[in-house]
C-alpha cells in the first residue's frame, strides 16, 4: 500500500473519541488574499483567473539570529519507536527515535492541527491520530492524505550523550511546510486560449493534481476550472460547521495560486469535451484546448421529487452559502433533515444547539445501516436521541407544505406531519458527468467514469479522479469501486498528476473517512460494502468499542475502535 501501508493488509475501520469538534476548529485556517481576480479575453469572452505572483517564503538559509538551539533530552531518554514533544522556546518539536537515530519534526499535523505525538510511528513514518495523514520522518514530507502540506524537518546532533535540536523560529511557529514547486514559465495566459493541463473540478482531486504537477517540476500552463464561485475549499466542513465562512474554508489563499501560476476559472461550467481536437467548451461559449485533461467534476446532490418540492427553505448542502443560510434559518426554529447518512447526521448534530427542534427522516430502520450495520447504527441513533433529535424511520417525504411560499410542514408517507421552517436534503448524490455523455469518454451505467490504477480513462491523455470515478481496488481483487472520500480524492489527484508526467504510479492508498458528532469521532478505514457480519468488541452502548466488518470468502476486513 502507499504511504504508511506496505503490502496489502486487512482493511481497517477506526471509530475513536478525540477532541470535540469545537476544539478541532481551532486549527490554522488559510488567510484570504488581498488581490482580486483579473479578467482576460478568450474567444471574445471575459473569464476570471488568478495570475502568477511570488508568494513570500522563509529564507532557505536562516541566520543564527533566526534560529534556536537547545538540548532536549539524553540519548537514553527515548527507546526505539518512541516519540516525544519537546520545547524549544519558540515552539514545540516532535522528537522521534527510530532504528537508533533521532529525528525532529513539526509536532502538529498541518491538516487540522492534531498532536502527532499521539499518532502511530511505523516503518519510518508517523501517522496523524485524527485523520490518518502520513509523514516521512526522514524528510517531513506528506506521503499519505488528507492534507496538502508537509512537516518541517529540523537539525539534530548528539553531543556528550545529549540530543540537541536546532530549528528556525519561523518554522516553529508555522508548523507546516509547502513543498518546493516550479513556477509557470508559459507565455501570459491573457493572450492564449490553449493550455497544457486542464483540470475540470476544483475539489481535493483537482487541487492536489495541480500542486503535484508543480512539485514534480512541471512549469507549463495549468488551468483549474470550477462551478463554484470560490477558490478550492474544505467541502467536508460544510455539514460539520455550517457557520463557517468561505475564507475560513479556503484550502489555499489567493496568493498561492498567483505564486505558482495555477489559473482558476470560477463559475465556469464545461458543457462539451471534444477529445479528438483536445478541446473543452464552456456554457458561455468559451473554449480551451489542452494537452492533458483531468476530469474531477465531483457529484451533484439528489433532490426530492415529492409534491411541493419547489417551496422555499429546502436545501441541499453544496456551497458555503447553502450551509450559512440553513443555520441562519434554523436558529430557534424547526429543522427537518431528510436522510440519515453522514451529511444528514452531521447537519442534525450541528443544528441541535441552534434550532428549536431537529427531526430526521430516513427510509432505513437505523442511521448508517448500510454502511455501519444495524447495531452500530442503533448505538449512534441513541446518542442523537439523547441530544433531543427526533427520528422518523422507515418512511419518506410525500409532501412539502408551504405558507406564503415558505416551508411550514413536512408530510410523511407514514401520515405523520412534522413542523418545519427549514429542511436539509441529504439522500445521496450522483456523478456530475452529464457533460461527458456525448463524448467518447466511457461512462458506466450509473454515470461514473471508469479508470485504471493509473487514473487513466479509455481516452489517451484524459484522466479522472474523485467522487465521479470507479477504480480498481487492489485488495478487493481489483474490483471497480466508487469511494467518495475526501482522503481518496487527494490520493487519486496525485496519482493522476504523476501519470500525466509518465511516472507510472498506481493508486494504492487505503480508503479513510471520518466524522464528528457531539464530541465523538467516528473513523472508518477500508472498504466494507457488502459485509455480512459485524463483530463488536468493547462497550457499544458507551461508544467505546471495536467493530470488525467481515464478508464470507473475502480476505479483507474492517476494524474499528472507540473510546
Amino acid at each position: 500500500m502507499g504511504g504508511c501501508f506496505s503490502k496489502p493488509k486487512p482493511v481497517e475501520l477506526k471509530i475513536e473519541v478525540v477532541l470535540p469538534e469545537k476544539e478541532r476548529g481551532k486549527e490554522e485556517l488559510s488567510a484570504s488574499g488581498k488581490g482580486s481576480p483579473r479578467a482576460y479575453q478568450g474567444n471574445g469572452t471575459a473569464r476570471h483567473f488568478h495570475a502568477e505572483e511570488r508568494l513570500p517564503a522563509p529564507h532557505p538559509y536562516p541566520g543564527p539570529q533566526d534560529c534556536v538551539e537547545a538540548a532536549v533530552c539524553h540519548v537514553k531518554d527515548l527507546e526505539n519507536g518512541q516519540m516525544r514533544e519537546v520545547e524549544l522556546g519558540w515552539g514545540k518539536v516532535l522528537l522521534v527515535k527510530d532504528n537508533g537515530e533521532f529525528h525532529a519534526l513539526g509536532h502538529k499535523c498541518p491538516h487540522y492541527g492534531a498532536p502527532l505525538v499521539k499518532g502511530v510511528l511505523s516503518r519510518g513514518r508517523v501517522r496523524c491520530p485524527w485523520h490518518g495523514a502520513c509523514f516521512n520522518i526522514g524528510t517531513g514530507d506528506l506521503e499519505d492524505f488528507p492534507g496538502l502540506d508537509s512537516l518541517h524537518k529540523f537539525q539534530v546532533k548528539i553531543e556528550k550523550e545529549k540530543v540537541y535540536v536546532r530549528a528556525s523560529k519561523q518554522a516553529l511557529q508555522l508548523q507546516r511546510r509547502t513543498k518546493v514547486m516550479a513556477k509557470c514559465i508559459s507565455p501570459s495566459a491573457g493572450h492564449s486560449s490553449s493550455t497544457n493541463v486542464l483540470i475540470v473540478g476544483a475539489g481535493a482531486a483537482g487541487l492536489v493534481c495541480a500542486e503535484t504537477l508543480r512539485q514534480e517540476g512541471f512549469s507549463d500552463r495549468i488551468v483549474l476550472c470550477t462551478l463554484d464561485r470560490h477558490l478550492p475549499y474544505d467541502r467536508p466542513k460544510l455539514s460539520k460547521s455550517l457557520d463557517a465562512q468561505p475564507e475560513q474554508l479556503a484550502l489555499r489563499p489567493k496568493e498561492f495560486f498567483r505564486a505558482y501560476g495555477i489559473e482558476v476559472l470560477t463559475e465556469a461550467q464545461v458543457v462539451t469535451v471534444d477529445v479528438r481536437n483536445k478541446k473543452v467548451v464552456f456554457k458561455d461559449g468559451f473554449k480551451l484546448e489542452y494537452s492533458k485533461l483531468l476530469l474531477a467534476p465531483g457529484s451533484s446532490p439528489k433532490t426530492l421529487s415529492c409534491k411541493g418540492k419547489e417551496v422555499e427553505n429546502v436545501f441541499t448542502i453544496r456551497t458555503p452559502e447553502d450551509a450559512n443560510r440553513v443555520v441562519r434559518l434554523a436558529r430557534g426554529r424547526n429543522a427537518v433533515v431528510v436522510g440519515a447518512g453522514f451529511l444528514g447526521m452531521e447537519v442534525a448534530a450541528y443544528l441541535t444547539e441552534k434550532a428549536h427542534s431537529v427531526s430526521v427522516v430516513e427510509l432505513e430502520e437505523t442511521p448508517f445501516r448500510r454502511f455501519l450495520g444495524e447495531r452500530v447504527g442503533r448505538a449512534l441513533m441513541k446518542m442523537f436521541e439523547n441530544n433531543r433529535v427526533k427520528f422518523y424511520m422507515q418512511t419518506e417525504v410525500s409532501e412539502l407544505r408551504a405558507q406564503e411560499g415558505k416551508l411550514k410542514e413536512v408530510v410523511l408517507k407514514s401520515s405523520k406531519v412534522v413542523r418545519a421552517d427549514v429542511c436539509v436534503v441529504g439522500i445521496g448524490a450522483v456523478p456530475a458527468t452529464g457533460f461527458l455523455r456525448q463524448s467518447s469518454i466511457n461512462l458506466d451505467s450509473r454515470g461514473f467514469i471508469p479508470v485504471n490504477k493509473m487514473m487513466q480513462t479509455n481516452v489517451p491523455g484524459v484522466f479522472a479522479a474523485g467522487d465521479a470515478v470507479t477504480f480498481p481496488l487492489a485488495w478487493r481483487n481489483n474490483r471497480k469501486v466508487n469511494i467518495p472520500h475526501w482522503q481518496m480524492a487527494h490520493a487519486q489527484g496525485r496519482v493522476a498528476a504523476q501519470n500525466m508526467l509518465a511516472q507510472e504510479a498506481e493508486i494504492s492508498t487505503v480508503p479513510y473517512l471520518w466524522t464528528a458528532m457531539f464530541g465523538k469521532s467516528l473513523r472508518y478505514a477500508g472498504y466494507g460494502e457488502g459485509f455480512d457480519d459485524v463483530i463488536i468488541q468493547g462497550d457499544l452502548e458507551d461508544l467505546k468499542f471495536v467493530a470488525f466488518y467481515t464478508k464470507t470468502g473475502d480476505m479483507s476486513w474492517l476494524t474499528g475502535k472507540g473510546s
Side-chain angles (χ1 to χ4, degrees):
M1 294 297 174
C4 286
F5 299 90
S6 52
K7 295 188 293 184
K9 289 186 176 181
V11 191
E12 298 185 5
L13 164 72
K14 296 183 179 178
I15 302 176
E16 300 185 45
V17 175
V18 292
L19 291 175
E21 190 67 20
K22 62 181 180 181
E23 291 296 318
R24 279 198 267 160
K26 295 179 181 177
E27 73 276 5
E28 293 182 55
L29 295 168
S30 299
S32 59
K34 296 180 181 178
S36 59
R38 289 195 291 145
Y40 72 88
Q41 297 292 323
N43 295 343
T45 306
R47 307 300 304 178
H48 294 286
F49 80 110
H50 295 265
E52 180 182 1
E53 183 178 288
R54 181 173 294 277
L55 190 69
H59 194 285
Y61 304 105
Q65 70 277 11
D66 300 318
C67 293
V68 58
E69 180 177 317
V72 294
C73 70
H74 190 278
V75 291
K76 294 182 180 180
D77 287 345
L78 265 69
E79 300 290 336
N80 278 324
Q82 285 189 326
M83 300 186 291
R84 175 185 293 183
E85 278 187 356
V86 295
E87 181 65 55
L88 279 186
W90 284 77
K92 293 181 179 179
V93 166
L94 180 70
L95 188 67
V96 177
K97 187 175 183 181
D98 188 58
N99 292 324
E101 293 187 13
F102 286 89
H103 304 270
L105 310 159
H107 77 290
K108 286 185 179 180
C109 178
H111 179 227
Y112 273 19
L116 292 175
V117 71
K118 295 183 178 180
V120 175
L121 175 64
S122 176
R123 300 180 183 181
R125 298 171 178 88
V126 59
R127 183 168 288 275
C128 171
W130 285 359
H131 307 129
C134 184
F135 304 91
N136 186 302
I137 62 172
T139 63
D141 286 349
L142 175 69
E143 293 193 344
D144 203 357
F145 301 95
L148 299 172
D149 289 320
S150 298
L151 302 174
H152 284 285
K153 180 73 190 298
F154 304 117
Q155 294 178 332
V156 178
K157 66 179 180 180
I158 309 296
E159 288 185 358
K160 297 179 180 180
E161 299 296 298
K162 288 186 177 180
V163 180
Y164 288 81
V165 175
R166 178 182 174 85
S168 155
K169 296 175 183 177
Q170 185 178 16
L172 286 171
Q173 294 175 324
L174 288 176
Q175 287 296 326
R176 62 180 64 217
R177 172 177 60 85
T178 300
K179 286 185 179 180
V180 174
M181 296 191 190
K183 296 184 65 178
C184 181
I185 59 173
S186 296
S188 172
H191 305 287
S192 173
S193 62
S194 64
T195 184
N196 286 80
V197 174
L198 175 61
I199 300 171
V200 179
L207 178 59
V208 170
C209 178
E211 291 199 20
T212 302
L213 288 170
R214 289 287 186 249
Q215 291 166 3
E216 296 296 321
F218 182 80
S219 58
D220 286 321
R221 191 178 177 200
I222 299 173
V223 176
L224 192 66
C225 64
T226 173
L227 279 170
D228 266 298
R229 59 186 293 187
H230 306 291
L231 293 173
Y233 58 88
D234 193 342
R235 193 179 297 276
K237 275 190 176 180
L238 290 182
S239 54
K240 298 179 179 71
S241 183
L242 280 73
D243 274 324
Q245 298 301 303
E247 59 271 17
Q248 295 174 301
L249 298 170
L251 294 172
R252 295 295 194 191
K254 292 178 182 179
E255 289 85 357
F256 176 90
F257 296 95
R258 295 190 180 111
Y260 301 113
I262 300 171
E263 302 166 43
V264 182
L265 306 184
T266 56
E267 299 180 278
Q269 182 179 357
V270 176
V271 293
T272 304
V273 177
D274 179 355
V275 297
R276 176 175 294 181
N277 296 304
K278 293 191 172 184
K279 182 185 298 183
V280 302
V281 181
F282 292 83
K283 187 176 181 179
D284 58 8
F286 179 71
K287 298 176 182 179
L288 270 179
E289 297 175 1
Y290 63 85
S291 175
K292 294 286 193 298
L293 174 66
L294 176 70
L295 299 170
S299 57
S300 300
K302 293 180 180 178
T303 57
L304 295 175
S305 57
C306 62
K307 182 180 178 181
K309 62 182 180 180
E310 71 285 350
V311 304
E312 292 184 34
N313 299 347
V314 178
F315 300 88
T316 55
I317 303 292
R318 184 64 185 169
T319 67
E321 289 76 16
D322 292 336
N324 294 170
R325 193 169 175 204
V326 165
V327 76
R328 283 198 304 269
L329 291 169
R331 290 186 190 279
R333 308 182 81 180
N334 303 300
V336 171
V337 176
V338 182
F342 283 96
L343 183 144
M345 296 293 274
E346 287 171 354
V347 170
Y350 189 81
L351 291 180
T352 53
E353 293 185 359
K354 314 288 184 182
H356 172 70
S357 69
V358 179
S359 302
V360 175
V361 179
E362 168 58 40
L363 188 59
E364 294 285 345
E365 295 177 27
T366 59
F368 305 115
R369 183 173 180 273
R370 293 183 181 180
F371 199 73
L372 301 178
E374 185 173 342
R375 293 176 64 193
V376 175
R378 286 196 182 282
L380 294 172
M381 183 174 174
K382 183 178 178 182
M383 177 179 69
F384 274 75
E385 289 174 331
N386 291 339
N387 284 275
R388 57 183 198 86
V389 175
K390 173 71 173 177
F391 285 92
Y392 297 88
M393 308 303 288
Q394 295 181 279
T395 188
E396 298 177 84
V397 176
S398 64
E399 182 182 356
L400 299 171
R401 289 179 182 168
Q403 181 178 320
E404 298 180 352
K406 296 181 180 179
L407 181 68
K408 272 301 171 186
E409 294 177 333
V410 174
V411 183
L412 308 180
K413 288 187 177 179
S414 62
S415 77
K416 295 280 187 181
V417 179
V418 185
R419 293 183 61 187
D421 299 294
V422 60
C423 177
V424 176
V425 180
I427 55 175
V430 294
T433 55
F435 68 100
L436 297 174
R437 294 197 180 279
Q438 302 305 314
S439 73
S440 56
I441 298 168
N442 285 347
L443 300 178
D444 69 14
S445 60
R446 298 178 297 165
F448 291 103
I449 309 168
V451 295
N452 61 17
K453 290 182 180 181
M454 302 169 78
M455 309 314 296
Q456 297 167 326
T457 69
N458 63 300
V459 177
V462 179
F463 299 78
D467 292 4
V469 308
T470 60
F471 68 99
L473 194 59
W475 34 271
R476 276 297 183 94
N477 298 318
N478 292 321
R479 173 185 172 187
K480 282 288 182 75
V481 299
N482 169 253
I483 302 179
H485 299 176
W486 185 244
Q487 166 264 357
M488 182 57 70
H490 285 69
Q492 292 174 347
R494 179 166 68 178
V495 170
Q498 290 171 325
N499 288 305
M500 286 180 180
L501 302 174
Q503 294 181 5
E504 298 187 357
E506 293 187 353
I507 188 70
S508 59
T509 190
V510 171
Y512 186 94
L513 68 83
W514 68 91
T515 187
M517 300 165 292
F518 305 115
K520 304 288 186 181
S521 179
L522 181 148
R523 296 140 187 240
Y524 188 109
Y527 183 76
E529 184 175 290
F531 63 87
D532 51 27
D533 193 18
V534 183
I535 302 169
I536 305 292
Q537 294 181 358
D539 190 341
L540 182 57
E541 224 176 279
D542 200 29
L543 296 181
K544 297 178 180 179
F545 67 96
V546 176
F548 297 84
Y549 292 72
T550 64
K551 183 174 176 61
T552 304
D554 197 322
M555 292 299 292
S556 62
W557 46 281
L558 296 158
T559 68
K561 181 180 179 183
S563 61

